[in-house]
């Protein structure tokens, strides 16, 4: 079974530029998450999708971050314009919806996209 | 609001010894799940073990066991017979099952503990 795919693995941009990250979850997983992990910290949830609907985006800085999950499969996270403090690893994770609802079941993570903002 | 606390920024252990990584949590919910993940230097998050709040027995997965003390709200990870490959960052995480109808399913992570295994 293929895991969660993310691209690009690394990205370096200047502040005020824009960047986009792509995620393809495990086939059949209805729930998709984007986490931000700043160096030395635990991952922080940015946004959660259930199919193509947003369940939680309370910690997404909506003035600069946006995310979409068209057709309930792939997802894109965009940052525009980027700030220095956006330097982090952006982790995508997925989970089968039925296990999320039941409260059990781990999240399956991709390898992450490391962003450096200069 | 839920909160996960890992008070040990770093831990050292000798190869083949056991080590305990601490985790305490705070929630007002009765139904929740506790998870431990391992993050090697390569960056991927590897699921290790899960404990449900209603599980009466401590979870075990191979060399990993979870010391669950519900009254104290602690969920410590015990790694037995440490190996060099266990050197990594370890995260404790919690999921509330009924979070007011929203945000269910998300994991909230602690700050992590860096484990170094010495030969």
């Amino acid at each position: 079974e293929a895991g969660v795919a993310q691209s690009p693995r690394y990205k370096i941009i200047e502040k005020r530029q824009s960047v986009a990250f792509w995620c393809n979850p495990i086939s059949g997983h209805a729930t998709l998450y984007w986490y931000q992990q700043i160096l030395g910290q635990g991952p922080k949830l940015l946004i959660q999708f259930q199919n193509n609907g947003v369940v939680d985006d309370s910690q997404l800085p909506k003035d600069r971050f946006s995310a979409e999950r068209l057709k309930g499969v792939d997802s894109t996270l965009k940052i525009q314009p980027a700030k220095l403090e956006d330097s982090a690893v952006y982790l995508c994770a997925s989970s089968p919806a039925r296990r999320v609802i039941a409260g059990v079941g781990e999240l399956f993570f991709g390898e992450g996209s490391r962003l450096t903002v200069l | 609001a839920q909160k996960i606390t890992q008070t040990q920024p770093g831990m050292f252990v000798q190869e083949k010894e056991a080590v305990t990584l601490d985790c305490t949590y705070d929630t007002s919910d009765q139904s929740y799940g506790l998870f431990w993940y391992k993050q090697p230097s390569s960056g991927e998050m590897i699921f290790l073990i899960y404990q449900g709040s209603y599980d009466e027995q401590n979870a075990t997965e191979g060399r990993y066991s979870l010391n669950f003390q519900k009254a104290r709200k602690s969920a410590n990870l015990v790694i037995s017979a440490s190996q060099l490959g266990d050197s990594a960052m370890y995260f404790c995480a919690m999921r509330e099952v009924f979070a007011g109808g929203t945000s269910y399913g998300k994991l909230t992570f602690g700050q992590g503990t860096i484990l170094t295994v010495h030969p």
Side-chain angles (χ1 to χ4, degrees):
Chain A
E1 175 181 80
V4 176
Q6 289 189 248
S7 68
R9 288 294 313 278
Y10 305 93
K11 189 75 176 179
I12 301 173
I13 61 174
E14 301 274 337
K15 61 182 179 183
R16 292 188 288 274
Q17 287 186 325
S18 63
V19 63
F21 302 111
W22 172 82
C23 173
N24 186 10
I26 292 173
S27 177
H29 283 194
T31 310
L32 185 148
Y33 311 78
W34 282 102
Y35 280 84
Q36 179 193 57
Q37 186 178 18
I38 294 172
L39 185 65
Q41 299 183 16
K44 181 186 81 171
L45 180 71
L46 292 176
I47 189 167
Q48 176 185 347
F49 292 94
Q50 187 74 15
N51 296 308
N52 60 351
V54 175
V55 174
D56 183 357
D57 63 357
S58 57
Q59 297 194 85
L60 186 74
K62 298 180 185 63
D63 57 334
R64 298 183 299 104
F65 286 66
S66 65
E68 60 182 10
R69 192 184 183 196
L70 301 177
K71 302 181 182 178
V73 182
D74 293 10
S75 177
T76 302
L77 176 71
K78 296 179 181 177
I79 307 174
Q80 182 180 10
K83 292 185 175 181
L84 297 177
E85 59 260 36
D86 299 331
S87 294
V89 176
Y90 291 86
L91 295 164
C92 180
S94 70
S95 183
R98 63 185 183 282
R99 291 179 66 80
V100 166
I101 293 169
V104 301
E106 70 273 27
L107 272 59
F108 296 84
F109 283 84
E111 293 183 309
S113 294
R114 183 178 297 275
L115 173 65
T116 301
V117 182
L118 303 176
Chain B
Q2 54 181 310
K3 182 179 177 182
I4 299 288
T5 303
Q6 295 180 252
T7 57
Q8 305 157 314
M11 289 286 286
F12 295 89
V13 66
Q14 206 69 26
E15 195 178 8
K16 300 180 185 176
E17 299 289 315
V19 63
T20 299
L21 306 183
D22 294 342
C23 172
T24 58
Y25 59 92
D26 184 25
T27 180
S28 54
D29 277 20
Q30 296 300 310
S31 297
Y32 51 90
L34 296 158
F35 300 76
W36 277 91
Y37 279 82
K38 172 184 178 182
Q39 188 176 43
S41 57
S42 53
E44 75 268 31
M45 296 284 281
I46 302 168
F47 167 72
L48 296 178
I49 196 166
Y50 164 81
Q51 178 87 41
S53 59
Y54 291 115
D55 294 340
E56 294 186 353
Q57 291 194 330
N58 288 339
T60 60
E61 289 287 348
R63 294 187 298 109
Y64 304 107
S65 61
L66 201 152
N67 184 0
F68 181 46
Q69 298 187 44
K70 193 170 183 177
R72 298 180 60 185
K73 293 188 175 180
S74 74
N76 299 337
L77 176 70
V78 181
I79 305 174
S80 62
S82 297
Q83 302 172 356
L84 296 179
D86 293 335
S87 294
M89 177 76 94
Y90 288 80
F91 289 101
C92 179
M94 181 171 68
R95 166 192 290 154
E96 291 171 320
V97 176
F98 302 109
T102 61
S103 307
Y104 68 89
K106 78 173 184 180
L107 293 188
T108 298
F109 288 84
Q111 293 290 86
T113 297
I114 300 175
L115 176 66
T116 303
V117 181
H118 289 302

Short mmCIF file of all heavy atoms in Angstrom, two decimals, chain B residues 38-89:
data_model
loop_
_atom_site.label_atom_id
_atom_site.label_comp_id
_atom_site.label_asym_id
_atom_site.label_seq_id
_atom_site.Cartn_x
_atom_site.Cartn_y
_atom_site.Cartn_z
N LYS B 38 7.33 8.30 16.77
CA LYS B 38 8.79 8.44 16.70
C LYS B 38 9.13 9.23 15.44
O LYS B 38 8.57 8.98 14.37
CB LYS B 38 9.43 7.05 16.63
CG LYS B 38 10.92 7.02 16.35
CD LYS B 38 11.37 5.57 16.21
CE LYS B 38 12.85 5.48 15.88
NZ LYS B 38 13.28 4.06 15.70
N GLN B 39 10.04 10.19 15.57
CA GLN B 39 10.47 10.97 14.40
C GLN B 39 11.98 10.92 14.31
O GLN B 39 12.69 11.66 14.99
CB GLN B 39 9.97 12.42 14.49
CG GLN B 39 10.23 13.22 13.23
CD GLN B 39 9.65 14.63 13.30
OE1 GLN B 39 9.78 15.31 14.30
NE2 GLN B 39 9.03 15.07 12.22
N PRO B 40 12.51 10.08 13.44
CA PRO B 40 13.97 10.02 13.24
C PRO B 40 14.45 11.30 12.56
O PRO B 40 13.65 12.14 12.15
CB PRO B 40 14.17 8.80 12.33
CG PRO B 40 12.85 8.09 12.30
CD PRO B 40 11.80 9.10 12.64
N SER B 41 15.76 11.41 12.41
CA SER B 41 16.32 12.61 11.80
C SER B 41 15.86 12.79 10.36
O SER B 41 15.89 13.91 9.83
CB SER B 41 17.84 12.56 11.86
OG SER B 41 18.32 11.39 11.24
N SER B 42 15.42 11.73 9.73
CA SER B 42 14.93 11.82 8.35
C SER B 42 13.59 12.55 8.26
O SER B 42 13.19 13.00 7.19
CB SER B 42 14.79 10.43 7.74
OG SER B 42 14.00 9.62 8.59
N GLY B 43 12.89 12.67 9.39
CA GLY B 43 11.71 13.52 9.42
C GLY B 43 10.35 12.84 9.41
O GLY B 43 9.36 13.47 9.77
N GLU B 44 10.27 11.58 9.00
CA GLU B 44 8.94 10.97 8.94
C GLU B 44 8.43 10.66 10.35
O GLU B 44 9.20 10.45 11.27
CB GLU B 44 8.95 9.69 8.09
CG GLU B 44 9.58 8.49 8.74
CD GLU B 44 11.05 8.36 8.42
OE1 GLU B 44 11.72 9.39 8.24
OE2 GLU B 44 11.53 7.21 8.39
N MET B 45 7.13 10.71 10.51
CA MET B 45 6.47 10.41 11.78
C MET B 45 6.03 8.95 11.76
O MET B 45 5.22 8.56 10.91
CB MET B 45 5.27 11.32 12.00
CG MET B 45 5.62 12.78 12.12
SD MET B 45 6.32 13.18 13.71
CE MET B 45 4.84 13.29 14.70
N ILE B 46 6.54 8.18 12.68
CA ILE B 46 6.26 6.74 12.73
C ILE B 46 5.38 6.44 13.94
O ILE B 46 5.77 6.71 15.08
CB ILE B 46 7.57 5.93 12.81
CG1 ILE B 46 8.45 6.26 11.61
CG2 ILE B 46 7.27 4.43 12.87
CD1 ILE B 46 9.87 5.73 11.75
N PHE B 47 4.21 5.88 13.71
CA PHE B 47 3.31 5.52 14.80
C PHE B 47 3.88 4.35 15.59
O PHE B 47 4.35 3.37 15.01
CB PHE B 47 1.95 5.15 14.23
CG PHE B 47 1.03 4.47 15.21
CD1 PHE B 47 0.46 5.18 16.25
CD2 PHE B 47 0.76 3.11 15.10
CE1 PHE B 47 -0.39 4.55 17.15
CE2 PHE B 47 -0.08 2.48 15.99
CZ PHE B 47 -0.65 3.19 17.02
N LEU B 48 3.84 4.47 16.93
CA LEU B 48 4.38 3.42 17.77
C LEU B 48 3.29 2.66 18.53
O LEU B 48 3.27 1.43 18.53
CB LEU B 48 5.35 4.02 18.80
CG LEU B 48 6.62 4.66 18.27
CD1 LEU B 48 7.43 5.24 19.41
CD2 LEU B 48 7.44 3.68 17.45
N ILE B 49 2.40 3.39 19.22
CA ILE B 49 1.50 2.73 20.13
C ILE B 49 0.31 3.63 20.45
O ILE B 49 0.41 4.86 20.37
CB ILE B 49 2.26 2.34 21.43
CG1 ILE B 49 1.50 1.30 22.25
CG2 ILE B 49 2.61 3.57 22.26
CD1 ILE B 49 2.37 0.66 23.34
N TYR B 50 -0.83 2.98 20.75
CA TYR B 50 -2.08 3.69 21.04
C TYR B 50 -2.71 3.15 22.32
O TYR B 50 -2.67 1.94 22.58
CB TYR B 50 -3.06 3.50 19.88
CG TYR B 50 -4.49 3.85 20.21
CD1 TYR B 50 -4.92 5.17 20.19
CD2 TYR B 50 -5.41 2.85 20.57
CE1 TYR B 50 -6.23 5.49 20.51
CE2 TYR B 50 -6.72 3.17 20.89
CZ TYR B 50 -7.13 4.49 20.85
OH TYR B 50 -8.42 4.80 21.17
N GLN B 51 -3.31 4.07 23.10
CA GLN B 51 -4.04 3.70 24.31
C GLN B 51 -5.36 4.46 24.34
O GLN B 51 -5.36 5.69 24.26
CB GLN B 51 -3.22 4.06 25.57
CG GLN B 51 -3.91 3.76 26.89
CD GLN B 51 -3.67 2.34 27.37
OE1 GLN B 51 -2.57 1.81 27.26
NE2 GLN B 51 -4.69 1.73 27.93
N GLY B 52 -6.46 3.77 24.46
CA GLY B 52 -7.76 4.40 24.60
C GLY B 52 -8.06 4.68 26.06
O GLY B 52 -7.62 3.94 26.94
N SER B 53 -8.82 5.72 26.31
CA SER B 53 -9.07 6.12 27.69
C SER B 53 -9.87 5.09 28.46
O SER B 53 -9.82 5.04 29.69
CB SER B 53 -9.81 7.47 27.72
OG SER B 53 -11.03 7.39 27.03
N TYR B 54 -10.61 4.23 27.75
CA TYR B 54 -11.39 3.21 28.44
C TYR B 54 -10.70 1.85 28.47
O TYR B 54 -11.25 0.89 29.00
CB TYR B 54 -12.76 3.08 27.78
CG TYR B 54 -13.64 4.29 28.00
CD1 TYR B 54 -14.03 5.09 26.94
CD2 TYR B 54 -14.07 4.63 29.27
CE1 TYR B 54 -14.83 6.21 27.14
CE2 TYR B 54 -14.88 5.74 29.49
CZ TYR B 54 -15.25 6.52 28.42
OH TYR B 54 -16.04 7.61 28.63
N ASP B 55 -9.51 1.80 27.88
CA ASP B 55 -8.77 0.52 27.91
C ASP B 55 -8.29 0.25 29.32
O ASP B 55 -7.64 1.11 29.93
CB ASP B 55 -7.58 0.57 26.95
CG ASP B 55 -8.01 0.68 25.51
OD1 ASP B 55 -9.17 0.34 25.21
OD2 ASP B 55 -7.19 1.10 24.66
N GLU B 56 -8.58 -0.92 29.82
CA GLU B 56 -8.20 -1.24 31.20
C GLU B 56 -6.77 -1.73 31.31
O GLU B 56 -6.15 -1.62 32.36
CB GLU B 56 -9.17 -2.29 31.76
CG GLU B 56 -10.58 -1.76 31.91
CD GLU B 56 -11.51 -2.74 32.61
OE1 GLU B 56 -11.08 -3.88 32.86
OE2 GLU B 56 -12.66 -2.36 32.91
N GLN B 57 -6.26 -2.28 30.22
CA GLN B 57 -4.89 -2.78 30.25
C GLN B 57 -3.96 -1.82 29.51
O GLN B 57 -4.35 -1.18 28.54
CB GLN B 57 -4.83 -4.16 29.61
CG GLN B 57 -5.51 -5.24 30.43
CD GLN B 57 -5.15 -6.63 29.96
OE1 GLN B 57 -4.88 -6.84 28.78
NE2 GLN B 57 -5.13 -7.59 30.86
N ASN B 58 -2.73 -1.75 29.97
CA ASN B 58 -1.74 -0.94 29.28
C ASN B 58 -1.43 -1.54 27.92
O ASN B 58 -1.30 -2.76 27.77
CB ASN B 58 -0.45 -0.87 30.10
CG ASN B 58 -0.61 0.00 31.33
OD1 ASN B 58 -1.51 0.85 31.40
ND2 ASN B 58 0.25 -0.19 32.30
N ALA B 59 -1.30 -0.67 26.94
CA ALA B 59 -1.00 -1.12 25.59
C ALA B 59 0.45 -1.56 25.47
O ALA B 59 1.34 -1.01 26.13
CB ALA B 59 -1.28 0.00 24.59
N THR B 60 0.68 -2.58 24.65
CA THR B 60 2.04 -3.02 24.37
C THR B 60 2.15 -3.32 22.88
O THR B 60 1.20 -3.80 22.24
CB THR B 60 2.42 -4.29 25.16
OG1 THR B 60 1.51 -5.34 24.79
CG2 THR B 60 2.33 -4.06 26.66
N GLU B 61 3.32 -2.99 22.31
CA GLU B 61 3.62 -3.27 20.91
C GLU B 61 5.10 -3.60 20.83
O GLU B 61 5.94 -2.73 20.78
CB GLU B 61 3.33 -2.05 20.01
CG GLU B 61 1.89 -1.72 19.80
CD GLU B 61 1.16 -2.69 18.88
OE1 GLU B 61 1.84 -3.50 18.21
OE2 GLU B 61 -0.09 -2.63 18.83
N GLY B 62 5.41 -4.90 20.87
CA GLY B 62 6.80 -5.29 20.81
C GLY B 62 7.59 -4.75 22.00
O GLY B 62 7.25 -5.00 23.14
N ARG B 63 8.62 -3.95 21.71
CA ARG B 63 9.46 -3.41 22.78
C ARG B 63 8.86 -2.15 23.41
O ARG B 63 9.43 -1.60 24.35
CB ARG B 63 10.85 -3.09 22.23
CG ARG B 63 11.64 -4.30 21.78
CD ARG B 63 13.08 -3.95 21.40
NE ARG B 63 13.14 -3.02 20.28
CZ ARG B 63 13.52 -1.75 20.38
NH1 ARG B 63 13.87 -1.24 21.54
NH2 ARG B 63 13.57 -0.99 19.30
N TYR B 64 7.72 -1.71 22.88
CA TYR B 64 7.09 -0.50 23.39
C TYR B 64 5.91 -0.86 24.28
O TYR B 64 5.11 -1.73 23.94
CB TYR B 64 6.58 0.38 22.24
CG TYR B 64 7.64 0.75 21.23
CD1 TYR B 64 7.64 0.17 19.97
CD2 TYR B 64 8.62 1.68 21.54
CE1 TYR B 64 8.60 0.52 19.04
CE2 TYR B 64 9.59 2.03 20.62
CZ TYR B 64 9.58 1.43 19.36
OH TYR B 64 10.53 1.78 18.44
N SER B 65 5.82 -0.18 25.40
CA SER B 65 4.63 -0.31 26.25
C SER B 65 4.26 1.07 26.76
O SER B 65 5.10 1.98 26.85
CB SER B 65 4.88 -1.27 27.40
OG SER B 65 5.92 -0.82 28.21
N LEU B 66 2.98 1.23 27.03
CA LEU B 66 2.49 2.52 27.49
C LEU B 66 2.02 2.35 28.93
O LEU B 66 1.12 1.55 29.19
CB LEU B 66 1.34 2.98 26.57
CG LEU B 66 1.02 4.47 26.58
CD1 LEU B 66 0.43 4.91 25.25
CD2 LEU B 66 0.07 4.81 27.72
N ASN B 67 2.61 3.09 29.83
CA ASN B 67 2.25 3.06 31.24
C ASN B 67 1.16 4.11 31.46
O ASN B 67 1.45 5.30 31.64
CB ASN B 67 3.47 3.35 32.10
CG ASN B 67 3.15 3.23 33.59
OD1 ASN B 67 2.01 2.93 33.97
ND2 ASN B 67 4.13 3.46 34.42
N PHE B 68 -0.10 3.67 31.41
CA PHE B 68 -1.25 4.55 31.44
C PHE B 68 -1.77 4.65 32.87
O PHE B 68 -2.21 3.66 33.45
CB PHE B 68 -2.34 4.02 30.51
CG PHE B 68 -3.59 4.85 30.44
CD1 PHE B 68 -3.53 6.22 30.29
CD2 PHE B 68 -4.85 4.25 30.50
CE1 PHE B 68 -4.69 6.98 30.20
CE2 PHE B 68 -6.01 5.01 30.41
CZ PHE B 68 -5.92 6.38 30.26
N GLN B 69 -1.72 5.86 33.44
CA GLN B 69 -2.26 6.11 34.77
C GLN B 69 -3.32 7.20 34.63
O GLN B 69 -3.00 8.40 34.66
CB GLN B 69 -1.16 6.50 35.73
CG GLN B 69 -0.12 5.39 35.90
CD GLN B 69 0.91 5.71 36.98
OE1 GLN B 69 0.55 6.16 38.07
NE2 GLN B 69 2.17 5.48 36.68
N LYS B 70 -4.56 6.77 34.50
CA LYS B 70 -5.64 7.68 34.15
C LYS B 70 -5.86 8.74 35.23
O LYS B 70 -6.09 9.91 34.92
CB LYS B 70 -6.93 6.88 33.92
CG LYS B 70 -8.04 7.64 33.27
CD LYS B 70 -9.16 6.69 32.87
CE LYS B 70 -10.27 7.42 32.14
NZ LYS B 70 -11.34 6.49 31.70
N ALA B 71 -5.83 8.34 36.49
CA ALA B 71 -6.09 9.29 37.57
C ALA B 71 -5.02 10.38 37.61
O ALA B 71 -5.31 11.53 37.95
CB ALA B 71 -6.14 8.55 38.91
N ARG B 72 -3.81 10.03 37.25
CA ARG B 72 -2.73 11.00 37.23
C ARG B 72 -2.60 11.69 35.88
O ARG B 72 -1.76 12.56 35.70
CB ARG B 72 -1.41 10.31 37.58
CG ARG B 72 -1.37 9.70 38.96
CD ARG B 72 -0.03 9.04 39.23
NE ARG B 72 1.09 9.99 39.14
CZ ARG B 72 2.36 9.65 39.23
NH1 ARG B 72 2.70 8.39 39.40
NH2 ARG B 72 3.31 10.57 39.16
N LYS B 73 -3.41 11.26 34.92
CA LYS B 73 -3.36 11.79 33.55
C LYS B 73 -1.96 11.72 32.99
O LYS B 73 -1.39 12.71 32.51
CB LYS B 73 -3.91 13.22 33.51
CG LYS B 73 -5.41 13.28 33.82
CD LYS B 73 -5.99 14.66 33.59
CE LYS B 73 -7.49 14.65 33.80
NZ LYS B 73 -8.10 15.98 33.58
N SER B 74 -1.39 10.53 33.09
CA SER B 74 -0.07 10.34 32.50
C SER B 74 -0.09 9.14 31.56
O SER B 74 -0.84 8.17 31.78
CB SER B 74 1.00 10.16 33.58
OG SER B 74 0.90 8.89 34.17
N ALA B 75 0.75 9.19 30.55
CA ALA B 75 0.82 8.13 29.53
C ALA B 75 2.26 7.99 29.10
O ALA B 75 2.64 8.39 28.00
CB ALA B 75 -0.08 8.49 28.35
N ASN B 76 3.05 7.42 29.97
CA ASN B 76 4.49 7.32 29.71
C ASN B 76 4.82 6.17 28.77
O ASN B 76 4.24 5.09 28.86
CB ASN B 76 5.26 7.14 31.02
CG ASN B 76 5.06 8.31 31.96
OD1 ASN B 76 4.72 9.42 31.55
ND2 ASN B 76 5.27 8.07 33.25
N LEU B 77 5.77 6.40 27.89
CA LEU B 77 6.22 5.37 26.96
C LEU B 77 7.44 4.67 27.56
O LEU B 77 8.39 5.34 27.98
CB LEU B 77 6.60 5.98 25.61
CG LEU B 77 7.18 5.02 24.58
CD1 LEU B 77 6.09 4.06 24.07
CD2 LEU B 77 7.80 5.79 23.41
N VAL B 78 7.41 3.36 27.58
CA VAL B 78 8.54 2.57 28.04
C VAL B 78 9.12 1.82 26.86
O VAL B 78 8.38 1.10 26.16
CB VAL B 78 8.14 1.58 29.16
CG1 VAL B 78 9.35 0.79 29.62
CG2 VAL B 78 7.50 2.32 30.33
N ILE B 79 10.39 2.01 26.61
CA ILE B 79 11.09 1.27 25.55
C ILE B 79 12.03 0.30 26.25
O ILE B 79 12.92 0.71 27.01
CB ILE B 79 11.88 2.21 24.62
CG1 ILE B 79 10.98 3.29 24.04
CG2 ILE B 79 12.54 1.40 23.50
CD1 ILE B 79 11.72 4.34 23.21
N SER B 80 11.84 -0.96 26.00
CA SER B 80 12.70 -1.96 26.62
C SER B 80 13.83 -2.33 25.66
O SER B 80 13.70 -2.17 24.44
CB SER B 80 11.90 -3.21 26.98
OG SER B 80 11.38 -3.81 25.80
N ALA B 81 14.95 -2.77 26.22
CA ALA B 81 16.08 -3.24 25.41
C ALA B 81 16.41 -2.26 24.29
O ALA B 81 16.34 -2.59 23.10
CB ALA B 81 15.77 -4.62 24.84
N SER B 82 16.78 -1.04 24.67
CA SER B 82 17.02 0.03 23.69
C SER B 82 18.05 -0.39 22.65
O SER B 82 19.03 -1.09 22.95
CB SER B 82 17.53 1.29 24.41
OG SER B 82 16.55 1.77 25.28
N GLN B 83 17.82 0.10 21.44
CA GLN B 83 18.72 -0.15 20.33
C GLN B 83 19.22 1.18 19.78
O GLN B 83 18.57 2.22 19.96
CB GLN B 83 17.99 -0.93 19.22
CG GLN B 83 17.41 -2.25 19.68
CD GLN B 83 16.53 -2.90 18.62
OE1 GLN B 83 16.28 -2.34 17.56
NE2 GLN B 83 16.07 -4.11 18.91
N LEU B 84 20.35 1.15 19.09
CA LEU B 84 20.89 2.38 18.53
C LEU B 84 19.89 3.07 17.60
O LEU B 84 19.81 4.29 17.53
CB LEU B 84 22.21 2.09 17.79
CG LEU B 84 23.36 1.58 18.65
CD1 LEU B 84 24.58 1.30 17.79
CD2 LEU B 84 23.70 2.55 19.77
N GLY B 85 19.12 2.27 16.91
CA GLY B 85 18.12 2.81 15.99
C GLY B 85 16.94 3.48 16.68
O GLY B 85 16.11 4.10 16.02
N ASP B 86 16.88 3.39 18.00
CA ASP B 86 15.81 4.07 18.73
C ASP B 86 16.12 5.55 18.93
O ASP B 86 15.25 6.31 19.38
CB ASP B 86 15.61 3.41 20.10
CG ASP B 86 15.07 2.00 20.01
OD1 ASP B 86 14.40 1.68 18.99
OD2 ASP B 86 15.31 1.21 20.94
N SER B 87 17.33 5.97 18.63
CA SER B 87 17.69 7.39 18.77
C SER B 87 16.83 8.22 17.82
O SER B 87 16.88 8.02 16.60
CB SER B 87 19.17 7.60 18.46
OG SER B 87 19.99 6.96 19.42
N ALA B 88 16.04 9.10 18.38
CA ALA B 88 15.08 9.88 17.60
C ALA B 88 14.35 10.85 18.53
O ALA B 88 14.57 10.85 19.73
CB ALA B 88 14.06 8.96 16.92
N MET B 89 13.47 11.65 17.92
CA MET B 89 12.55 12.48 18.69
C MET B 89 11.28 11.67 18.90
O MET B 89 10.80 11.02 17.96
CB MET B 89 12.25 13.77 17.93
CG MET B 89 11.25 14.68 18.60
SD MET B 89 11.96 15.58 19.98
CE MET B 89 12.44 17.09 19.15
#
